[in-house]
Amino acid sequence: MLMLKEHFSVNSLGHLVVGRLDAVELAERFGTPLYVVDEQRIRERYRRFYRAFSSQWSEARVHYALKANSNMAVVKVLQSEGAGADVSSETELRIALKVGIPGEKIVFNGNYKTQRELELAILNDILINVDSFQELEAIDKIALRLGKRARIGFRINPDIRADTHPYIAVGLRESKFGFDVISGQALAAYKRAKEMSSVEILGIHANVGSQILDAAPFVEEAEKLMKIVSEIKERFGIDLKFVDLGGGIGIPYKPEDRELPPEEVAEKVVGVVRRVVQEKGLEKPTLLLEPGRFIVADACVLLARVGYTKERPGMPDWVAVDAGMNALMRPALYGAYHHIELANKMNQRNEHLVNVAGPLCESGDFLGKDRKLPKVEPGDLAVVFDVGAYGLAMACQHTAQPRPAMVLVNGDKAEVVRKRETYEDLTRLDQIPSWLL
Ligand code: LLP
């Protein structure tokens, strides 16, 4: 069955169209495997997300989570929309600064931030969501040495069960993230920070997980965070300026998935915040949101060339394409579903049962199993949908495969925004030791 999202179309040749460009021509011009990103779609998604929250709560800020796709051009597009950033490594932090996102619009998350990363964050006035007592001590020391006051919030472990893959259900009590609430550690962290000279206590943060298609976990999260916000006000007299709800709104990957509208999440979550602010007489906090997947996932496809097909009587045919788990790891790692079509045969009926595999030497090296496609022939162009988030960002070089190129499309324009890796790139960092020369 054909399931095309509204920003794609099919031309008179039966070819998939991205922006205003024929995907078959893009593959010929730039080679395969190729990630193709639609700039306008990213803009639309950002604007929709931002409007959903800002129309409910005047002080709402969207910090795009770079981990979903940290390509500099993609981040630049979001910077030009006015987005802030959520970063989780030195490189992401530097990319955000480099494309012009000011430090005050960046938040830094993660359970292990190195000394060097903390220094960089403090020097650039980035809001650091502290994940442990030891990290808090380290931050205070570094800030003192630098003659700065570190801007901090605390990541709270929300202890929320969300219906998603266990690897991305990060809000559980047993997960490695955040301060435990039940045992009193969360409040103790604020108490400790209050005694410190070089930190400025500004916020609270949590993240319930990723690829969530139900509003309930976000409502529960807002309730839990706002409860702590009011306790902090009562006990320590501190009005927290930022309430950071993290990311996690999912997208429909399968034809039968239903979307979770950000408007619905915004309305429900803001309802909780508004109620608690009124009941407890709190200052109105600024709400921070850290969407990744929602903004970029469906703006991008992966084009892969069919090399060979083979029959397995009584079973699905095998179709070998030039992109495997190296180019897109999500199917192998999470059993994730990504919809697949033939970009050059969009008008033909999908009636042949196939498994689509990559070129690597592992059984986990597949992009999709038990899929229906038109009769597949060598030279056909497979298209894998919804790969803009955690696609190229998680690609690797297993079996020394070069990572794919990425092209940004804007209407009828297309330019490479990430070059294809080469043999030279892949071997550049290896060295043969002196005794073997
Ligand atoms: N904020 C924090 C602190 C996060 O840890 C994450 C994602 C986000 C925001 C963005 O979440 P999103 O809106 O994209 O759901 N590799 C997995 C997803 C891992 C998500 C990790 N954290 C995947 O391919 O599904």
Side-chain angles (χ1 to χ4, degrees):
M1 191 200 81
L2 194 61
M3 178 208 64
L4 271 194
K5 292 185 179 166
E6 74 242 29
H7 54 298
F8 294 110
S9 58
V10 174
N11 65 19
S12 55
L13 300 168
H15 295 177
L16 177 73
V17 174
V18 184
R20 289 205 295 277
L21 295 174
D22 182 320
V24 174
E25 284 176 19
L26 285 170
E28 274 159 22
R29 186 162 142 208
F30 297 104
T32 55
L34 184 70
Y35 275 92
V36 181
V37 188
D38 180 350
E39 176 176 338
Q40 289 310 325
R41 180 62 174 178
I42 295 181
R43 293 185 185 279
E44 270 170 39
R45 296 291 275 187
Y46 174 80
R47 286 174 198 168
R48 177 172 170 202
F49 193 97
Y50 177 70
R51 214 172 299 127
F53 283 86
S54 61
S55 64
Q56 297 284 332
W57 191 253
S58 58
E59 299 302 316
R61 284 178 18 187
V62 177
H63 291 253
Y64 167 64
L66 266 74
K67 58 177 78 65
N69 188 330
S70 57
N71 176 266
M72 227 177 257
V74 167
V75 184
K76 181 69 191 169
V77 169
L78 288 159
Q79 180 269 346
S80 77
E81 289 288 330
D86 153 33
V87 301
S88 58
S89 69
E90 178 180 344
T91 309
E92 287 183 2
L93 194 164
R94 290 164 69 139
I95 290 171
L97 290 172
K98 173 137 186 178
V99 301
I101 300 178
E104 310 84 67
K105 281 169 82 173
I106 301 177
V107 297
F108 190 11
N109 287 311
N111 66 312
Y112 188 162
K113 309 180 191 76
T114 65
Q115 293 275 318
R116 186 184 152 97
E117 287 171 337
L118 290 173
E119 266 180 41
L120 206 57
I122 293 166
L123 285 171
N124 287 287
D125 297 317
I126 286 166
L127 179 66
I128 304 171
N129 284 324
V130 182
D131 201 273
S132 68
F133 285 106
Q134 290 171 4
E135 186 191 338
L136 175 64
E137 299 295 329
I139 289 171
D140 188 45
K141 255 199 221 140
I142 296 170
L144 186 67
R145 173 160 54 75
L146 296 174
K148 298 273 296 183
R149 277 189 95 197
R151 303 170 74 237
I152 65 160
F154 287 100
R155 179 165 181 165
I156 300 308
N157 180 302
D159 188 20
I160 290 172
R161 198 160 291 278
D163 181 18
T164 187
H165 190 280
Y167 288 4
I168 53 178
V170 294
L172 301 174
R173 187 169 186 216
E174 59 265 34
S175 94
K176 67 176 176 174
F177 296 103
F179 285 84
D180 191 45
V181 177
I182 301 159
S183 60
Q185 288 177 10
L187 287 179
Y190 283 92
K191 183 159 182 282
R192 174 72 188 114
K194 215 176 162 237
E195 301 158 3
M196 292 177 160
S197 62
S198 302
V199 301
E200 187 182 1
I201 305 170
L202 291 171
I204 187 161
H205 170 245
N207 191 53
V208 280
S210 195
Q211 183 49 18
I212 296 167
L213 289 174
D214 165 20
F218 296 104
V219 175
E220 198 182 335
E221 177 192 21
E223 292 280 6
K224 289 194 172 170
L225 286 183
M226 290 311 291
K227 181 162 183 276
I228 303 173
V229 170
S230 36
E231 280 171 8
I232 287 167
K233 169 78 179 198
E234 274 166 31
R235 294 222 195 160
F236 311 122
I238 301 172
D239 269 298
L240 292 179
K241 238 189 167 137
F242 299 117
V243 174
D244 182 344
L245 295 155
I249 296 184
I251 64 144
Y253 283 97
K254 295 183 186 163
E256 67 267 26
D257 284 345
R258 211 184 54 85
E259 84 155 0
L260 171 61
E263 295 79 11
E264 181 189 335
V265 178
E267 194 193 324
K268 292 183 172 164
V269 159
V270 167
V272 172
V273 175
R274 197 176 285 128
R275 191 195 74 228
V276 179
V277 164
Q278 273 168 9
E279 274 174 17
K280 305 284 177 181
L282 304 171
E283 297 272 327
K284 266 181 89 175
T286 297
L287 286 185
L288 307 188
L289 292 311
E290 302 171 350
R293 191 185 315 264
F294 183 86
I295 307 290
V296 290
D298 74 10
C300 182
V301 296
L302 173 61
L303 302 177
R305 186 69 67 187
V306 175
Y308 307 98
T309 68
K310 78 171 71 148
E311 287 180 15
R312 275 269 190 280
M315 293 177 191
D317 288 354
W318 280 101
V319 172
V321 300
D322 58 7
M325 64 190 291
N326 57 310
L328 179 68
M329 204 187 284
R330 303 192 71 257
L333 191 58
Y334 312 116
Y337 178 96
H338 284 269
H339 195 67
I340 303 175
E341 298 274 348
L342 289 184
N344 59 323
K345 296 182 176 171
M346 296 295 288
N347 289 337
Q348 294 186 23
R349 291 253 287 274
N350 287 346
E351 48 195 9
H352 293 271
L353 195 63
V354 298
N355 293 326
V356 180
L360 275 60
C361 53
E362 295 204 30
S363 299
D365 180 38
F366 62 89
L367 298 177
K369 286 208 173 147
D370 297 318
R371 301 301 179 83
K372 288 248 173 91
L373 289 178
K375 178 81 189 142
V376 186
E377 294 158 300
D380 279 342
L381 187 66
V383 50
V384 188
F385 288 91
D386 304 315
V387 296
Y390 311 105
L392 191 52
M394 288 171 72
C396 70
Q397 296 140 321
H398 187 13
T399 71
Q401 297 278 352
R403 282 178 294 184
M406 188 154 95
V407 160
L408 189 70
V409 167
N410 183 343
D412 54 11
K413 294 192 294 247
E415 272 185 37
V416 173
V417 293
R418 163 92 192 174
K419 291 187 197 163
R420 183 178 306 288
E421 279 175 345
T422 60
Y423 163 77
E424 284 74 25
D425 294 326
L426 273 128
T427 50
R428 194 163 50 88
L429 303 172
D430 285 6
Q431 305 194 78
I432 295 183
S434 55
W435 63 89
L436 290 180
L437 285 173

